[in-house]
């Protein structure tokens, strides 16, 4: 949600503008170097490493564009020709991030629940095809989002937000919960050290998926609840929208931190 469309007629508008600009600054200052580092790690890795992290690479590229758009949103006060560009790029934040997160969730689902199918579609070319399709799909919502924001129709913005977040969240939760259910089940009986190592790996994977599931809820549910409340009551309260934006921006750092932890780049969080 771009609050600039309602700030001019809303009490305490300056406070909410300050919150928005502060969050955009945090996203730019911390998100840009973090996602740039992740992209560099994936691109400079081995070929198998690029293949396994290809969806994460695309997600990081999408987040880099979002971070740059946050900077554009901050400086557009001095450059009046930028708003149309920022309106277009807002579509990546609304559609691009959840779309690539869905691809990551599907990949994890196949790896755990259908390993044979996962091995069949493991080569890099299949990931390139899926990612290319995802980027093409993002063009439509970006153009539509630009038109909706330009119209300054708050109802249309809210409906657009819900139509993006509800399906993506449902898909992600379906696959993540399916993976959690499989990981919670006991595997075939093995004894000794191999069984202990398998249980340790399953526990780590279970914790990773559980954290990801909770993170998805924190990112999208506040926006969904706030949007539904606005549509049903026709009361626009900026405090819930600002809270949703805080959750969306700050919870967005969980995914890159988890990736860096898995890559062994956060020694303070890595445990043997």
């Amino acid at each position: 949600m771009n609050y600039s469309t309602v700030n001019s007629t809303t009490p305490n508008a300056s406070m909410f503008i300050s919150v928005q600009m502060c969050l955009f600054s945090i996203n730019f200052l911390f998100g840009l170097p973090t996602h740039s580092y992740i992209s560099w790690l994936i691109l400079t890795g081995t070929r198998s490493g690029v293949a396994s992290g290809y969806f994460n690479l695309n997600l990081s590229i999408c987040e880099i564009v979002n971070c740059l758009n946050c900077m554009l949103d901050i400086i557009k006060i001095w450059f009046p020709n930028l708003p149309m560009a920022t309106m277009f790029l807002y579509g990546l934040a609304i559609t691009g991030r959840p779309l690539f997160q869905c691809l990551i969730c599907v990949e994890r689902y196949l790896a755990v629940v259908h390993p044979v199918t996962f091995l069949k579609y493991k080569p890099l070319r299949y990931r390139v095809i899926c990612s290319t399709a995802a980027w093409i799909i993002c063009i439509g919502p970006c153009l539509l989002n630009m038109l909706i924001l330009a119209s300054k129709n708050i109802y249309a913005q809210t409906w657009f937000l819900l139509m993006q977040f509800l399906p993506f969240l449902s898909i992600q939760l379906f696959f993540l919960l399916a993976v959690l259910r499989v990981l919670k089940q006991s595997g075939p009986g093995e004894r000794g050290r191999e069984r202990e190592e398998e249980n340790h790996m399953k526990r780590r994977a279970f914790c990773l998926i559980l954290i990801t599931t909770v993170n998805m809820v924190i990112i999208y549910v506040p926006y969904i609840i706030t949007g539904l409340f606005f549509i049903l009551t026709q009361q626009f309260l900026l405090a819930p929208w600002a809270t949703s934006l805080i959750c969306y921006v700050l919870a967005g750092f969980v995914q890159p931190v988890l990736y860096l932890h898995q890559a062994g780049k956060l020694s303070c969080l890595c445990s043997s």
Side-chain angles (χ1 to χ4, degrees):
M1 173 64 70
N2 183 10
Y3 302 125
S4 61
T5 59
V6 294
N7 281 336
S8 58
T9 59
T10 305
N12 301 320
S14 59
M15 180 185 67
F16 288 101
I17 294 176
S18 300
V19 172
Q20 185 178 9
M21 293 300 102
C22 180
L23 289 171
F24 285 175
S25 299
I26 291 173
N27 197 37
F28 173 74
L29 294 175
F30 294 96
L32 183 61
T34 300
H35 290 289
S36 299
Y37 180 53
I38 291 175
S39 300
W40 180 81
L41 287 176
I42 297 174
L43 291 173
T44 57
T46 61
R47 179 175 176 81
S48 59
V50 173
S52 61
Y54 194 75
F55 290 144
N56 280 290
L57 173 63
N58 283 269
L59 177 60
S60 292
I61 293 174
C62 180
E63 294 289 2
I64 289 172
V65 176
N66 291 333
C67 292
L68 294 175
N69 192 41
C70 287
M71 181 190 67
L72 294 178
D73 200 280
I74 294 173
I75 66 175
K76 70 181 181 182
I77 300 174
W78 300 280
F79 298 93
N81 294 326
L82 287 178
M84 293 302 293
T86 59
M87 289 178 184
F88 177 83
L89 294 177
Y90 272 131
L92 281 182
I94 297 175
T95 304
R97 175 196 277 186
L99 182 55
F100 286 113
Q101 286 175 339
C102 279
L103 291 176
I104 294 174
C105 291
V106 173
E107 182 182 42
R108 290 172 177 172
Y109 170 81
L110 291 176
V112 175
V113 182
H114 301 288
V116 176
T117 305
F118 173 75
L119 292 176
K120 180 180 178 181
Y121 295 101
K122 189 177 180 179
L124 178 62
R125 63 178 179 274
Y126 295 109
R127 291 178 168 87
V128 173
I129 294 173
C130 292
S131 299
T132 302
W135 283 110
I136 295 174
I137 291 172
C138 286
I139 296 176
C142 285
L143 292 172
L144 182 60
N145 185 66
M146 181 177 64
L147 296 176
I148 293 174
L149 288 177
S151 69
K152 298 185 178 181
N153 188 326
I154 304 174
Y155 286 97
Q157 292 180 38
T158 305
W159 274 111
F160 178 76
L161 200 69
L162 292 178
M163 292 300 292
Q164 299 295 308
F165 285 176
L166 274 172
F168 284 129
L169 178 63
S170 301
I171 293 171
Q172 292 180 61
L173 289 180
F174 170 80
F175 287 112
L176 289 172
L177 292 176
V179 173
L180 287 175
R181 185 175 63 251
V182 171
L183 291 175
K184 195 174 182 181
Q185 297 173 353
S186 57
E190 293 186 8
R191 297 179 181 179
R193 186 174 180 180
E194 292 182 359
R195 179 63 181 274
E196 293 180 0
E197 291 178 354
E198 179 187 0
N199 289 337
H200 179 66
M201 292 178 61
K202 289 182 67 173
R203 284 195 300 269
R204 286 172 60 91
F206 183 88
C207 291
L208 172 65
I209 300 300
L210 181 60
I211 293 173
T212 303
T213 304
V214 175
N215 185 52
M216 294 299 111
V217 173
I218 294 175
I219 288 176
Y220 299 110
V221 169
Y223 261 129
I224 292 173
I225 294 176
T226 305
L228 290 175
F229 175 81
F230 169 65
I231 291 174
L232 294 175
T233 64
Q234 299 184 359
Q235 297 180 25
F236 192 95
L237 304 176
L238 272 177
W241 285 110
T243 302
S244 301
L245 180 62
I246 292 172
C247 294
Y248 190 82
V249 172
L250 298 184
F253 288 103
V254 173
Q255 186 85 11
V257 169
L258 287 177
Y259 181 86
L260 292 175
H261 174 54
Q262 285 183 288
K265 300 303 179 180
L266 298 178
S267 57
C268 58
L269 298 179
C270 295
S271 58
S272 58

